[in-house]
Amino acid sequence: MATLLIRNARCIATMDDRGREFSNASIAVQDGTIAWLGPHTELPPVWEQADRVINAADHLVTPGLVNTHHHMYQSLTRAIPGVQNAELFSWLKGLYPIWAGLTPEMVRVSTQVAMAELLLSGCTTSSDHLYIYPNGVRMDDSIEAAQAIGMRFVACRGSMSVGQSQGGLPPDAVVEKEDAILKETQRLIETWHDASHGSMLNVAVAPCSPFSVSRDLMRESAALARHYGVRLHTHLAENDHDLAYSREKFGCTPAQYAQELGWLGPDVWHAHCVKLDSEGISLFAASRTGVSHCPCSNMRLASGIAPVRKMLDAGVPVGLGVDGCASNDGAQMVAEARQALLLARVARAMQPAESRRVDGAQRSFFGCDLGPAEMTARDALRLATRGGAEVLGRTDLGQLAVGQCADMALFNLQTLGFAGGAVHDPVASLLLCASPQAAYTIVHGRIVVSEGRLQTLDCALLVEQHNRMARQLCAVTG
């Protein structure tokens, strides 16, 4: 049985129910599961003979970070000049024609580029929402890419069925027939989904958005998912245009629409929810419907600030998502958590000066307390770990405890970015100082990143292939 010892770490932030943090502590791993954790002085001597030992004396250890929303193929279309300053709907309209040229090999390579970036930032689990399938592309291409690189994966089989001719946003050329969507989604679940403890692969049912699929597809997708016991995912209430579309087309708010279609519940998570109102938050909290908060993308597309503190206070499960590589335009999970922290705090500056209260008691227009304590560093880290695991329905991830999956990130505290910070508070320094790369990323007990280098693929070759494909993809549409 394979064993691993994380030996004498400077600090271990467990993110467990008690929020325990250990100094000078060790973690023992056996067959992908945490077998022992505690002060190094209490380590049973047998673990010193582990198959692999990492000397973690200068390191902070956290649970592996969890990314709850992504569009990995979009790494091929980062920083496209024509949409650099566009809001969501214009951005999509500018990119749909480019994405229509995607091939299976492009999806495989772009997925691995996105995953490499995530793994190097300490992320061990990621979802991917692939909703466009031209030229023979299949979700299997992404799944096989994840297996090769060694990332724990939630494959969200997306879809678009309502094209422009029917009042939808995407061109007719990139939408699918609804019966074909449901049949293919069923095949993916039956072929790939693994619901066991420690699973490396889950499949979720994920129609793209209210403005690209029909009511019928949303309802039938929910029925399909619940028949197989898998999760549901989509975009919701992302910006003002999204809100206006729901009111015009459906005569209700996005949250009301989700309720009408059976898209609320502990098996559902929605991306963005920037425009979720008080009623919507109450609906989500009562039903334990999850939210993927995507602060960088929401800022990049000027969508707004999601009312995250109000959601958390109401009891809504919230995790973090980097969102698509073309709307972020990165996939650095520590940076995403830091942005969540900063964005939650900036709401104070957005309120009219005459109505502020220096004691922090004034309520903001989001209905939440103002000021720097709006979100602490540990709150942000919890979103990136426990929060994400809860949103994805994974009770075996997101914390460091005996019996949990051995998914961990180790950060070297002796680097320049931590200087003068880690000596005071290693955990807060991770979120407040410059966002670091991980020294080690461990997925199910396997060292996937070692001393800052990806171990499973040749990054230089991958980037070369990826850049060639990015040029090729964009050249097709001029």
Side-chain angles (χ1 to χ4, degrees):
M1 293 184 287
T3 55
L4 169 68
L5 175 64
I6 310 302
R7 189 179 189 278
N8 197 24
R10 169 97 69 85
C11 179
I12 297 175
T14 68
M15 292 291 120
D16 67 7
D17 290 340
R18 289 180 283 170
R20 291 182 301 167
E21 296 174 8
F22 294 96
S23 298
N24 305 314
S26 297
I27 302 174
V29 174
Q30 185 167 336
D31 284 348
T33 301
I34 296 174
W36 188 92
L37 184 154
H40 182 68
T41 55
E42 300 175 14
L43 177 71
V46 66
W47 289 109
E48 295 283 9
Q49 306 303 315
D51 297 326
R52 177 75 187 270
V53 177
I54 295 176
N55 180 7
D58 294 324
H59 293 74
L60 165 68
V61 185
T62 73
L65 308 183
V66 179
N67 176 36
T68 62
H69 186 63
H70 210 334
H71 307 293
M72 295 184 178
Y73 71 89
Q74 291 181 12
S75 61
L76 291 160
T77 53
R78 301 195 220 213
I80 295 293
V83 294
Q84 288 177 8
N85 303 312
E87 57 76 35
L88 175 63
F89 280 20
S90 299
W91 177 85
L92 284 168
K93 289 177 180 178
L95 289 171
Y96 282 139
I98 299 176
W99 296 337
L102 286 167
T103 66
E105 185 67 3
M106 287 177 180
V107 168
R108 183 188 67 80
V109 171
S110 59
T111 297
Q112 289 183 338
V113 162
M115 288 184 170
E117 191 171 2
L118 288 167
L119 288 162
L120 288 165
S121 71
C123 180
T124 54
T125 299
S126 182
S127 67
D128 183 36
H129 190 188
L130 179 60
Y131 55 78
I132 187 167
Y133 295 89
N135 310 311
V137 168
R138 301 194 305 167
M139 192 84 233
D140 308 64
D141 304 318
S142 299
I143 291 170
E144 290 162 4
Q147 291 176 329
I149 204 169
M151 176 160 252
R152 200 181 297 277
F153 191 39
V154 180
C156 301
R157 207 299 175 175
S159 55
M160 297 189 293
S161 65
V162 178
Q164 290 175 352
S165 66
Q166 297 175 290
L169 195 69
D172 290 351
V174 297
V175 302
E176 301 175 272
K177 300 291 186 183
E178 294 190 351
D179 57 348
I181 290 167
L182 293 166
K183 183 178 180 180
E184 176 63 5
T185 304
Q186 179 178 341
R187 181 193 70 81
L188 282 165
I189 296 168
E190 292 176 348
T191 303
W192 294 107
H193 182 67
D194 176 8
S196 65
H197 179 95
S199 168
M200 289 292 291
L201 177 61
N202 297 151
V203 174
V205 182
C208 183
S209 63
F211 51 80
S212 60
V213 300
S214 71
R215 276 188 171 93
D216 286 346
L217 184 61
M218 292 290 283
R219 289 194 182 98
E220 291 183 41
S221 293
L224 177 67
R226 287 170 177 141
H227 174 77
Y228 282 95
V230 303
R231 299 183 78 75
L232 288 159
H233 181 52
T234 192
H235 300 86
L236 198 77
E238 186 168 351
N239 72 357
D240 287 330
H241 293 295
D242 194 353
L243 189 63
Y245 185 93
S246 290
R247 286 174 170 158
E248 178 184 344
K249 295 290 184 179
F250 313 127
C252 59
T253 68
Q256 291 166 343
Y257 187 60
Q259 181 183 39
E260 174 194 335
L261 299 175
W263 273 73
L264 297 180
D267 57 347
V268 183
W269 85 104
H270 295 278
H272 301 290
C273 296
V274 173
K275 300 300 178 180
L276 203 63
D277 59 14
S278 295
E279 179 193 6
I281 290 172
S282 296
L283 287 171
F284 273 47
S287 58
R288 302 294 295 167
T289 303
V291 170
S292 176
H293 176 41
C294 306
C296 286
S297 177
N298 294 342
M299 295 173 72
R300 159 76 154 80
L301 296 175
S303 298
I305 303 176
V308 173
R309 173 49 59 193
K310 188 172 183 184
M311 292 180 193
L312 292 171
D313 289 348
V316 177
V318 181
L320 288 183
V322 299
D323 199 14
C325 292
S327 66
N328 187 309
D329 292 18
Q332 218 282 12
M333 274 296 293
V334 179
E336 199 71 38
R338 183 174 190 267
Q339 196 67 68
L341 181 156
L342 297 176
L343 190 58
R345 295 181 175 197
V346 81
R348 180 183 184 91
M350 294 178 64
Q351 189 177 27
E354 61 273 14
S355 65
R356 295 182 195 161
R357 287 267 298 281
V358 295
D359 62 4
Q362 174 66 43
R363 306 293 284 183
S364 80
F365 55 84
F366 294 132
C368 49
D369 291 333
L370 298 170
E374 179 81 0
M375 183 171 290
T376 69
R378 286 166 174 81
D379 289 339
L381 183 57
R382 192 172 185 85
L383 287 180
T385 53
R386 287 294 294 274
E390 182 179 7
V391 163
L392 296 181
R394 296 296 297 259
T395 58
D396 53 351
L397 306 177
Q399 62 177 310
L400 300 178
V402 172
Q404 291 285 297
C405 293
D407 287 11
M408 291 172 267
L410 281 68
F411 299 94
N412 186 350
L413 299 174
Q414 292 298 106
T415 55
L416 184 64
F418 281 111
V423 294
H424 305 299
D425 187 339
V427 178
S429 294
L430 178 67
L431 281 302
L432 294 173
C433 298
S435 299
Q437 297 289 77
Y440 295 88
T441 303
I442 298 164
V443 184
H444 207 70
R446 179 188 185 190
I447 301 172
V448 179
V449 172
S450 179
E451 297 181 353
R453 296 186 177 183
L454 187 66
Q455 301 297 293
T456 49
L457 292 176
D458 183 334
C459 261
L461 178 60
L462 186 64
V463 169
E464 180 184 341
Q465 291 175 317
H466 186 266
N467 284 339
R468 184 178 68 251
M469 290 177 179
R471 294 188 189 97
Q472 175 187 342
L473 180 63
C474 293
V476 173
T477 56

